[in-house]
């Protein structure tokens, strides 16, 4: 059985002192939470803190992640950060196509697919986010939307698709305290798994994470679904006790 992956998405939160305090506390509790070693842990931090967090997590078993990556290799793209630059800081994961980037930065499916390509060709594992808005769910469009989002990534990346991580994040559940029920989430995860299966024989190895108001209480049922391989954790990743409690559930 593959290990569950619990990735924290700090979003635009933190600071030098706060990061150090949070990671200190997480590392203190990690040995206990990971008693059975059945989980992998990562934190996706704001780019300016990659260097600091690289140092702080060294040797702790926590992997480092970024929250975005440029679709370009290098050049005149003010403000952007390339996959090669992330590699310089031993970044293992980069979140790509988070709904907040799709919404506030007008990232399209095609743009997201290019970012995934750039990450994969540099050896950074993209955590590709897909998910429907409340209006789309109410219109019965959930499956169509997530399949369209993933299809763009599959088209651009061919057989390399087995190297990605997928995160199903219903937009209506992000930061709202409203979670998809385990059955709702599993149904979408099964659709995504089937879509991956039609492109790679290694689809069962791909981690499909759930994200959207996951906490220690709802993680128990969510993480016991057959196609939910971990979580992308926003708010709860900013409190050591909450993050550790989710990790402990995943490591069972
Ligand atoms: P949340 O965020 O856990 O705060 O809902 C998840 C995410 O946006 O990745």
């Amino acid at each position: 059985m593959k290990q569950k992956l619990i990735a924290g998405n700090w979003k635009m939160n933190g600071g030098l002192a706060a990061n150090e305090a949070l990671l200190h506390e997480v590392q203190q509790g990690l040995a206990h939470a990971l008693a059975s070693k059945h989980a992998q842990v990562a934190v996706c931090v704001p780019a300016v803190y990659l260097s600091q967090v690289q140092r702080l997590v060294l040797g702790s078993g926590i992997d480092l992640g970024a929250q975005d990556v440029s679709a370009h290799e290098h050049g005149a793209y003010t403000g952007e950060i390339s996959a090669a630059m992330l590699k310089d800081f031993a970044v293992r994961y980069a979140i790509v196509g988070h709904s907040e980037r799709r919404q506030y930065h007008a990232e399209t499916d095609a743009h997201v697919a290019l970012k995934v390509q750039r990450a994969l060709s540099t050896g950074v594992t993209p955590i590709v986010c897909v998910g429907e808005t409340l209006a789309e769910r109410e219109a019965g469009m959930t499956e169509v939307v997530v399949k369209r989002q993933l299809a763009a990534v599959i088209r651009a990346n061919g057989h390399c698709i087995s190297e990605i991580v997928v995160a199903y994040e219903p937009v209506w559940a992000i930061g709202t305290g409203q979670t998809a029920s385990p059955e709702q989430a599993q149904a979408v995860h099964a659709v995504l798994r089937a879509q991956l299966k039609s492109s790679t024989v290694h689809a069962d190895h791909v981690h499909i994470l759930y994200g959207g108001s996951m906490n220690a209480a709802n993680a128990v049922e969510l993480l016991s679904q057959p196609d939910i391989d971990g979580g992308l954790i926003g708010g709860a990743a900013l409190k050591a006790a909450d993050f550790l409690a989710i990790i402990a559930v995943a490591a069972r």
Side-chain angles (χ1 to χ4, degrees):
M1 210 179 79
K2 64 179 176 278
Q3 290 187 328
K4 299 251 191 293
L5 168 62
I6 300 297
N9 173 12
W10 288 3
K11 309 195 180 189
M12 199 174 72
N13 294 293
L16 289 173
N19 302 344
E20 188 153 357
L22 174 61
L23 286 170
H24 179 74
E25 216 184 312
V26 169
Q27 283 173 54
Q28 296 270 300
L30 201 60
H32 181 65
L34 275 180
S36 58
K37 294 251 182 287
H38 281 141
Q40 290 167 245
V41 180
V43 286
C44 300
V45 309
V48 288
Y49 297 126
L50 285 172
S51 169
Q52 179 205 18
V53 175
Q54 179 191 18
R55 179 175 50 78
L56 290 173
V57 300
L58 201 67
S60 70
I62 300 175
D63 286 315
L64 184 57
Q67 297 175 8
D68 187 27
V69 63
S70 177
H72 306 284
E73 216 171 319
H74 54 78
Y77 302 101
T78 303
E80 299 245 318
I81 294 171
S82 72
M85 292 171 185
L86 297 181
K87 250 332 225 194
D88 274 346
F89 293 91
V91 167
R92 174 155 182 196
Y93 298 103
I95 298 173
V96 177
H98 191 281
S99 62
E100 286 150 15
R101 300 225 38 108
R102 293 179 191 259
Q103 186 181 351
Y104 306 134
H105 301 270
E107 289 192 9
T108 62
D109 292 343
H111 200 191
V112 171
L114 273 177
K115 289 183 172 201
V116 170
Q117 222 171 15
R118 204 52 77 200
L120 285 175
S121 66
T122 316
V124 173
T125 301
I127 300 178
V128 181
C129 299
V130 300
E132 80 289 3
T133 62
L134 185 57
E136 287 164 342
R137 174 162 284 266
E138 286 174 350
M141 297 290 286
T142 299
E143 201 171 308
V144 172
V145 170
V146 298
K147 281 172 93 169
R148 188 204 70 221
Q149 291 171 330
L150 186 58
V153 172
I154 291 175
R155 247 194 327 273
N157 292 279
H159 67 278
C160 297
I161 209 66
S162 61
E163 305 299 318
I164 71 171
V165 171
V166 178
Y168 168 54
E169 298 209 310
V171 178
W172 49 271
I174 294 177
T176 57
Q178 212 183 328
T179 326
S181 69
E183 296 73 25
Q184 280 175 325
Q186 167 56 29
V188 177
H189 281 233
V191 164
L192 296 170
R193 181 85 63 203
Q195 193 177 4
L196 289 168
K197 276 194 174 141
S198 63
S199 315
T200 169
V201 292
H202 302 298
D204 284 329
H205 300 305
V206 176
H207 280 91
I208 307 181
L209 313 181
Y210 169 80
S213 300
M214 194 189 262
N215 56 41
N218 60 37
V220 177
E221 273 207 72
L222 283 164
L223 293 176
S224 64
Q225 301 302 310
D227 288 300
I228 302 187
D229 307 311
L232 184 55
I233 319 296
L238 297 171
K239 296 191 199 104
D242 294 356
F243 194 48
L244 285 165
I246 296 173
I247 293 167
V249 172
R252 275 181 198 169

